[in-house]
Amino acid sequence: MTKVVKPGVNAVNAVDNALRKARSEGRPVRILFVCLGNICRSPAAEGMMEHICRDLPSGQRPELDSAGFYGGHAGDLPDRRMRMVASHRGLVLTHRSRTIHESDFDYYDLILGMDDHNISDLHDLAPTQEAESRIARMSDFAVNYPYADCVPDPYYDGLDGFENVLNLLEDATSTLKSMICK
Ligand code: 4NP
């Protein structure tokens, strides 16, 4: 694995492009977190970001959602294991799984994938180059994990894998919050 300086040019540019879109429309930024099943990583990212942004004034508080590429869990709550480890950190995850749609690129300003499969699929789905310029990889905001090049899929792992996801997401959401509040 390669150690990289984070957040990195692509991630910084994606946030800048997203903030420009939101500000041009005079509203808080809209962020969509994306993974495969939308029952583990992306709903945890959404819930954690919601939790750490609750102290922001409403005019600055981001609008958040999450989605996945695989529709097999549509309508489901997050995975029981993820809800359990998240609850130990004070998070209540209530999102219902849904698939991502091309129209999400119009509504959401910043689209964050968890791994390179998600990133590749997001680029394939994005309707325009401008939309592609607002895609970034969530692990690129995990500044305290310089070797992490993804938020790994924990679905077939033990609870350690779920804790690892939350550790990465705590770091990444904290970075993200400071970037959207500047
Ligand atoms: P997620 O994890 O992408 O973090 O929600 C997964 C959940 C379910 C499956 C794959 C990944 N699945 O194949 O059912």
Side-chain angles (χ1 to χ4, degrees):
M1 264 189 260
T2 318
K3 180 178 179 178
V4 290
V5 177
K6 293 186 176 184
V9 176
N10 181 70
V12 170
N13 285 344
V15 172
D16 283 350
N17 293 336
L19 290 176
R20 200 172 307 117
K21 180 172 182 284
R23 284 172 186 158
S24 75
E25 296 173 19
R27 53 165 177 73
V29 70
R30 296 170 180 159
I31 303 174
L32 182 68
F33 300 95
V34 180
C35 60
L36 179 59
N38 191 216
I39 55 168
C40 297
R41 295 166 291 174
S42 61
E46 177 192 350
M48 190 172 283
M49 190 70 180
E50 185 93 51
H51 188 70
I52 67 166
C53 289
R54 67 196 186 287
D55 62 334
L56 294 177
S58 59
Q60 267 191 56
R61 210 175 300 147
E63 185 177 328
L64 306 171
D65 196 4
S66 62
F69 280 97
Y70 170 60
H73 297 282
D76 290 354
L77 280 170
D79 185 279
R80 181 184 47 77
R81 297 162 295 174
M82 181 54 89
R83 279 186 284 140
M84 186 183 77
V85 296
S87 74
H88 295 158
R89 301 188 194 208
L91 304 176
V92 180
L93 303 181
T94 57
H95 176 79
R96 295 282 176 170
S97 178
R98 73 167 178 93
T99 50
I100 185 169
H101 301 287
E102 190 184 309
S103 58
D104 284 316
F105 286 92
D106 287 334
Y107 190 79
Y108 292 95
D109 304 309
L110 183 61
I111 296 95
L112 297 172
M114 298 295 144
D115 59 36
D116 284 342
H117 289 293
N118 306 150
I119 296 295
S120 170
D121 289 344
L122 285 168
H123 281 283
D124 287 347
L125 184 64
T128 62
Q129 277 195 346
E130 186 280 326
E132 288 189 86
S133 79
R134 296 181 280 104
I135 297 170
R137 197 170 60 167
M138 191 64 176
S139 53
D140 289 350
F141 299 92
V143 294
N144 294 310
Y145 295 86
Y147 294 99
D149 58 4
C150 67
V151 177
D153 184 347
Y155 192 63
Y156 296 103
D157 291 347
L159 289 179
D160 282 1
F162 287 81
E163 297 286 2
N164 180 48
V165 166
L166 292 185
N167 291 339
L168 288 165
L169 292 179
E170 272 181 1
D171 191 12
T173 52
S174 166
T175 305
L176 204 51
K177 182 185 178 189
S178 66
M179 290 173 79
I180 65 169
C181 289
K182 68 177 191 264

